[in-house]
Amino acid sequence: MISFSIASQATSILGLGIDAGGTQTRWALANTDGVIVADGAVEGLSALQMSSDVGRAAVHATFAKLSQAVLAVGQPRAVVAGLTGFGGDDVALAHMLADLLALDAGDVRLGNDIDIAYRDSFEPGEGYLVYAGTGSIAAWIDADGVFHRAGGRGVLLDDGGGGYWIAREALRHVWRREDEAPGSWQASPMAEAVFAQLGGSDWSLSRAFMYGQDRGAIGRLALAVAASADADPLALDILQRAGKELARLALALVSRHGSRPVVLAGRAAQLHPAIAAAMRAALPVSLTMEQKIARPHEAAARIAVKAAVKTQANTEHFINPNTDLS
């Protein structure tokens, strides 16, 4: 999926922004006016996949697909990418992207996906971002650029309120009820929606899904929970508890660093209004909260094009074609 703008012809300097999450990897190209001239999405990925041969091959395939789409629009001069699971120590990722995009590795800047998402909502020091995607985290970048977090420990440990957590809670409740009263799922709109997405109600299908699929695919099961929330009190309760989990993350930062505005963002946070409503109810009335549709790939693209312009200006300053270098 790619969208284009006529503004793509406005300038020859383009910056590429990438936001890679467990469910989806989004990209955008920005020109020197900060206008997004094209964007698109490919499969999700995680920097953690770089720890195995199979994972590295999957990341390369996803980046290759992304690069092909980008180069069909234009050649970026710089890349800023935020990747879930990134620990700041994988040079191979930068070289991989640089090779696919015909750039120098120095033109590729990698970071954590939440760092980019934060800068899409706040300037450093301003407020707290609570981000609910496949996982969940609250972040604050202080005025000195230091990153502070609450949560974001991974779906196997916690990440309450994220898409994976919602999906796991739904299946946990469904199968507990089946233990007590086999066949009870047929009276549950949530169970029907979940099993429809899994392809059936047999335990073997749920088991294969939870223990065989990647975390992004499991997180997408939260869509079925949200779709049934208006008809199933249990689904609604799960979403409301998700909102309370997200409020806990915000309050953890408030208790450590003081009261600041809160922004709620991420695809999981948009699943149903009950999530944001429950989060708002769990926060002090004095705390400002806003829900925002995050577009960190666009923010990253604008950062990238600024870096490209700066690099070109520095190059022209030190190597001026009109300067006598003899």
Side-chain angles (χ1 to χ4, degrees):
M1 177 185 68
I2 309 174
S3 61
F4 298 93
S5 165
I6 191 67
S8 61
Q9 305 302 319
T11 179
S12 60
I13 299 180
L14 297 173
L16 172 62
I18 298 174
D19 173 38
T23 303
Q24 190 179 56
T25 299
R26 295 180 292 175
W27 61 268
L29 283 169
N31 65 20
T32 52
D33 293 325
V35 175
I36 301 301
V37 300
D39 63 7
V42 292
E43 295 79 6
L45 62 86
S46 168
L48 297 175
Q49 291 174 270
M50 295 297 288
S51 62
S52 71
D53 291 340
V54 172
R56 283 191 292 273
V59 171
H60 187 277
T62 300
F63 275 153
K65 185 175 180 180
L66 183 153
S67 299
Q68 184 179 22
V70 168
L71 293 174
V73 181
Q75 173 69 62
R77 303 281 190 89
V79 181
V80 171
L83 298 88
T84 186
F86 183 73
D89 55 357
D90 202 325
V91 177
L93 275 166
H95 283 281
M96 183 186 294
L97 261 177
D99 290 344
L100 290 166
L101 292 165
L103 294 170
D104 293 330
D107 295 323
V108 179
R109 171 183 158 190
L110 302 181
N112 189 284
D113 58 332
I114 302 304
D115 182 283
I116 299 298
Y118 183 92
R119 296 173 192 276
D120 184 44
S121 299
F122 295 113
E123 290 297 320
E126 284 186 347
Y128 303 127
L129 172 70
V130 177
Y131 197 91
T134 302
S136 64
I137 190 172
W140 179 50
I141 298 177
D142 67 25
D144 295 323
V146 179
F147 185 92
H148 305 267
R149 68 190 293 159
R153 311 300 180 185
V155 296
L156 295 181
L157 184 62
D158 195 344
D159 279 14
Y164 187 106
W165 183 92
I166 291 170
R168 185 184 60 208
E169 285 294 292
L171 277 175
R172 184 172 69 86
H173 281 285
V174 167
W175 284 110
R176 283 191 170 193
R177 285 191 170 186
E178 287 301 296
D179 288 340
E180 299 160 358
S184 60
W185 70 267
Q186 296 175 76
S188 166
M190 180 183 76
E192 288 186 340
V194 166
F195 285 153
Q197 191 163 326
L198 295 183
S201 61
D202 191 84
W203 162 240
S204 63
L205 294 171
S206 293
R207 180 182 60 202
F209 182 79
M210 285 302 295
Y211 298 107
Q213 291 289 334
D214 62 59
R215 67 191 191 97
I218 294 171
R220 285 191 288 274
L221 192 63
L223 293 166
V225 181
S228 60
D230 293 336
D232 193 320
L234 181 54
L236 181 61
D237 178 68
I238 291 172
L239 298 181
Q240 290 172 334
R241 288 193 292 114
K244 292 177 182 178
E245 290 285 338
L246 299 175
R248 186 194 72 82
L249 295 175
L251 291 173
L253 289 182
V254 169
S255 68
R256 286 155 49 190
H257 303 292
S259 181
R260 286 179 174 80
V262 175
V263 163
L264 171 64
R267 293 169 69 85
Q270 301 167 31
L271 287 172
H272 194 279
I275 296 174
M279 179 179 173
R280 172 66 274 180
L283 295 175
V285 293
S286 60
L287 203 62
T288 301
M289 176 187 145
E290 173 192 358
Q291 185 171 13
K292 178 178 179 179
I293 297 176
R295 304 193 69 82
H297 58 309
E298 295 185 359
R302 294 185 177 103
I303 295 171
V305 77
K306 288 179 181 177
V309 170
K310 184 177 180 180
T311 298
Q312 177 166 302
N314 289 339
T315 301
E316 290 175 348
H317 175 73
F318 288 110
I319 307 177
N320 189 316
N322 296 318
T323 300
D324 184 2
L325 299 179
S326 59

